[in-house]
Amino acid sequence: MSKFPLRSKLTLIHLLLITVVTLFGSLFAIVTAQRYYQKRLDHFMQTQLAQVQSLIEKSDLGDLSLPAHYAILRDYAHAAGFRLTLVDSSGGVRFDSNVGADSLLRMENHRDRPEIRQALRDGMGRQRRLSTTLNQPFYYGALRLKLDYLPQTAGETARYIRIAYPLAEIEQQFSDLRTKILFANLMALLLIGLLSYWLAGRLSYPIQKLAAVAEKVKRGDLEASFQHKSRDEIGELADLLNQMLGKLRVDLVQLRKLEQVRSQFLGNVSHELRTPIFTLQGSLETLLNSKFDTPEQQKEFINRAYQQAGRLNNLLTDLIDISRIESGEMKLIFRPFDVKALLARVVEELQSKAHYYGVTLTFASPASDEKLAANGDPERLTQAITNLAENAIKYNLQGGKVEIGCRRIGEQIEIHVADTGRGIPQEHLPRIFERFYRVDKERSRAVGGTGLGLAIVKHIVEAHGSRIEVQSEIDKGSRFSFRLK
């Protein structure tokens, strides 16, 4: 489909509207002028008929048998610019300013002339028509005399005065006026059309600029912006589009970050899965294809396979958990719970693991018997605290200590997990909650760490409207804490 520019549309609409207005204006002007000329002509005819009537009735020019009187009336009509005719009651012509007295008998009877018949009926008649003699347009006016005029030398009375005024000059003037009106309107239409085209360009230019920028954005240039100086709706649209572009840029940056994180995540997952799978595969292959001298050797490979299978299970479990948390599929159920009782259960469940690693695990409960109640999801908080405590146990020193405790701070309850382990270097602290980030990669894999535990802790704590804090010193230990309402 061919493109029809907005500028052309606006110009065409303006021209159509102006053309309609101009057309009606021209018709109105022409009709008004025509009515004006007609009124002026009617007034002129009525005035001239009255003057002739007065001249005939109040002077001695009534005796048309005298050549001098005939000549006076003829000269009067010629000077006034019209043809004067006197008609008797039977329609016979008694005087005609264009015909000599000796030729009157050859003239047609005027009884059936429309203006005469109307004058007979109404006292005055008017008629516009072509003259049968001259083939030119004339305006005829007839007046019925109130007093009969009886020439002294004639036996019949002149009953009607008729004036024939030539319309050729008037119609030529009116035609010239009509031409001037139409020409003036055409020139006005042309000028308005040019002005409309210019104004349409001014109006459509900002929209064209917006369209050009939108085309750049469509092609991927998100650095483009909608510049404008107007304070109208187009300016508001440009501001709105700029806001949308800004949000799109932010979203694109976030999308690229997410894509990068996703790519890194997939790479990390592949790397994390590859090691236990290869180890498990190697152990099973050895068990299938090798003969062992002692049961202890066979048991060693079985134990390796078992550990790697357990590591795979832990990794998949953590992957499922963090995926459910980040996707919003894992819903938290908030309710009031006893913080001391929850921590005491965690400490009791982890005692055997602490004993295995040679670490002392204790519960630092407040001295008072006050019940510490908090609002949250006990199951997910248990998972977070257990992850922190297991890290503190597994990455501790032989004979080290781990403390799980709580205390009231104003309207909040602080929960902490502290250890006397190796500590975390300061440069690693900002990243330890990232997925698959490890401070000591070899030791982490050796103790079965998945690299997702702290990331899961961070998500769970933040879902409770809190944030986890960490303080750590090399060779002195670390302390993780967060607060609940």
Side-chain angles (χ1 to χ4, degrees):
M1 184 179 293
S2 59
K3 184 178 179 181
F4 194 56
L6 178 61
R7 184 178 190 177
S8 300
K9 290 181 181 179
L10 291 174
T11 303
L12 181 60
I13 291 173
H14 288 166
L15 283 177
L16 288 175
L17 292 175
I18 295 301
T19 300
V20 172
V21 173
T22 302
L23 179 61
F24 278 100
S26 300
L27 291 176
F28 178 78
I30 292 172
V31 171
T32 301
Q34 190 173 9
R35 289 179 178 176
Y36 172 77
Y37 275 104
Q38 185 63 46
K39 288 181 179 180
R40 295 288 297 174
L41 189 59
D42 289 343
H43 179 72
F44 171 79
M45 184 63 69
Q46 186 175 2
T47 301
Q48 293 300 324
L49 286 171
Q51 288 179 356
V52 173
Q53 179 186 14
S54 178
L55 182 65
I56 291 175
E57 292 180 349
K58 297 181 180 180
S59 67
D60 57 354
L61 295 177
D63 188 1
L64 296 176
S65 61
L66 298 176
H69 290 186
Y70 199 99
I72 291 174
L73 286 176
R74 182 186 60 200
D75 294 342
Y76 175 82
H78 290 170
F82 54 76
R83 181 179 181 179
L84 175 63
T85 304
L86 299 180
V87 181
D88 61 22
S89 59
S90 63
V93 177
R94 297 303 177 185
F95 171 82
D96 193 295
S97 59
N98 288 1
V99 178
D102 54 350
S103 302
L104 292 177
L105 294 177
R106 294 195 294 270
M107 294 189 66
E108 295 180 358
N109 190 284
H110 283 41
R111 179 179 55 191
D112 293 329
R113 295 290 194 270
E115 63 275 8
I116 298 296
R117 295 173 60 185
Q118 186 179 3
L120 175 63
R121 183 180 66 251
D122 301 327
M124 180 178 287
R126 299 184 185 91
Q127 176 70 31
R128 179 194 294 264
R129 69 176 184 273
L130 286 175
S131 170
T132 57
T133 305
L134 302 176
N135 196 29
Q136 291 183 358
F138 279 84
Y139 189 58
Y140 295 92
L143 178 66
R144 177 164 51 89
L145 294 172
K146 295 180 180 180
L147 298 176
D148 290 341
Y149 165 67
L150 182 63
Q152 296 177 0
T153 59
E156 180 62 45
T157 302
R159 185 67 172 171
Y160 301 98
I161 302 172
R162 193 187 76 157
I163 291 177
Y165 190 79
L167 295 177
E169 183 178 355
I170 293 178
E171 289 192 350
Q172 181 61 43
Q173 292 177 355
F174 184 73
S175 177
D176 292 342
L177 176 63
R178 183 170 56 240
T179 301
K180 291 178 180 178
I181 291 175
L182 293 176
F183 179 76
N185 286 330
L186 182 62
M187 292 301 298
L189 185 63
L190 178 61
L191 292 175
I192 292 174
L194 294 174
L195 181 61
S196 297
Y197 186 76
W198 179 75
L199 288 176
R202 290 292 301 272
L203 290 174
S204 61
Y205 179 68
I207 299 177
Q208 292 174 354
K209 289 178 62 178
L210 295 182
V213 176
E215 182 66 25
K216 291 182 180 179
V217 175
K218 187 181 76 172
R219 294 177 181 175
D221 183 9
L222 295 182
E223 297 303 319
S225 62
F226 297 92
Q227 303 294 334
H228 71 92
K229 297 180 180 179
S230 57
R231 297 182 180 179
D232 53 10
E233 290 81 356
I234 295 178
E236 293 177 0
L237 176 60
D239 290 337
L240 180 61
L241 291 174
N242 282 329
Q243 294 174 12
M244 293 174 62
L245 262 181
K247 188 176 185 301
L248 185 60
R249 293 189 194 101
V250 174
D251 291 342
L252 185 61
V253 171
Q254 293 297 326
L255 186 61
R256 288 172 178 170
K257 287 183 179 179
L258 289 174
E259 184 63 27
Q260 184 179 6
V261 170
R262 175 180 172 274
S263 178
Q264 293 176 350
F265 178 72
L266 291 176
N268 290 330
V269 169
S270 301
H271 181 72
E272 293 294 331
L273 288 174
R274 186 180 297 114
T275 301
I277 288 176
F278 284 169
T279 304
L280 180 59
Q281 185 179 9
S283 298
L284 293 176
E285 186 177 359
T286 302
L287 288 171
L288 287 173
N289 301 324
S290 301
K291 293 182 179 180
F292 299 95
D293 297 331
T294 62
E296 286 75 12
Q297 290 180 341
Q298 185 178 14
K299 185 176 181 181
E300 180 181 353
F301 281 96
I302 293 174
N303 186 50
R304 288 180 186 176
Y306 177 78
Q307 289 178 351
Q308 296 305 320
R311 182 179 173 188
L312 278 175
N313 181 64
N314 292 337
L315 178 59
L316 291 175
T317 300
D318 284 351
L319 282 172
I320 292 172
D321 283 346
I322 199 166
S323 176
R324 292 178 63 198
I325 292 172
E326 291 183 349
S327 66
E329 182 181 350
M330 181 180 288
K331 303 299 181 182
L332 293 137
I333 302 175
F334 287 80
R335 64 178 185 272
F337 66 94
D338 187 340
V339 177
K340 288 196 223 179
L342 184 146
L343 297 181
R345 284 195 302 272
V346 173
V347 170
E348 183 179 356
E349 291 171 359
L350 292 178
Q351 284 296 348
S352 58
K353 181 168 286 190
H355 180 71
Y356 175 80
Y357 283 95
V359 173
T360 302
L361 177 62
T362 58
F363 174 38
S365 176
S368 65
D369 294 334
E370 179 187 6
K371 181 178 180 181
L372 297 181
N375 189 48
D377 187 323
E379 294 183 4
R380 295 302 159 199
L381 288 171
T382 298
Q383 181 182 5
I385 296 167
T386 299
N387 283 355
L388 291 174
E390 286 183 343
N391 284 347
I393 292 171
K394 291 187 292 185
Y395 300 110
N396 211 319
L397 298 173
Q398 188 72 22
K401 296 180 181 179
V402 174
E403 178 185 278
I404 300 177
C406 60
R407 61 175 178 168
R408 179 187 295 278
I409 300 179
E411 296 298 322
Q412 294 181 321
I413 305 280
E414 182 191 72
I415 297 174
H416 72 269
V417 176
D419 65 68
T420 59
R422 294 177 175 81
I424 304 171
Q426 292 296 316
E427 63 269 19
H428 292 286
L429 289 179
R431 301 190 60 190
I432 59 174
F433 295 101
E434 296 178 10
R435 293 175 296 185
F436 297 112
Y437 187 84
R438 291 184 172 93
V439 177
D440 187 345
K441 296 182 180 180
E442 296 303 323
R443 179 171 174 79
S444 175
R445 291 192 178 96
V447 297
T450 64
L452 296 172
L454 289 180
I456 293 174
V457 170
K458 178 175 179 290
H459 281 298
I460 293 175
V461 171
E462 288 181 349
H464 282 75
S466 183
R467 66 186 184 90
I468 190 161
E469 297 180 352
V470 56
Q471 297 90 32
S472 184
E473 293 185 39
I474 299 297
D475 297 330
K476 289 187 178 181
S478 305
R479 184 180 190 274
F480 291 82
S481 64
F482 61 90
R483 297 181 184 184
L484 298 175
K485 296 180 182 179

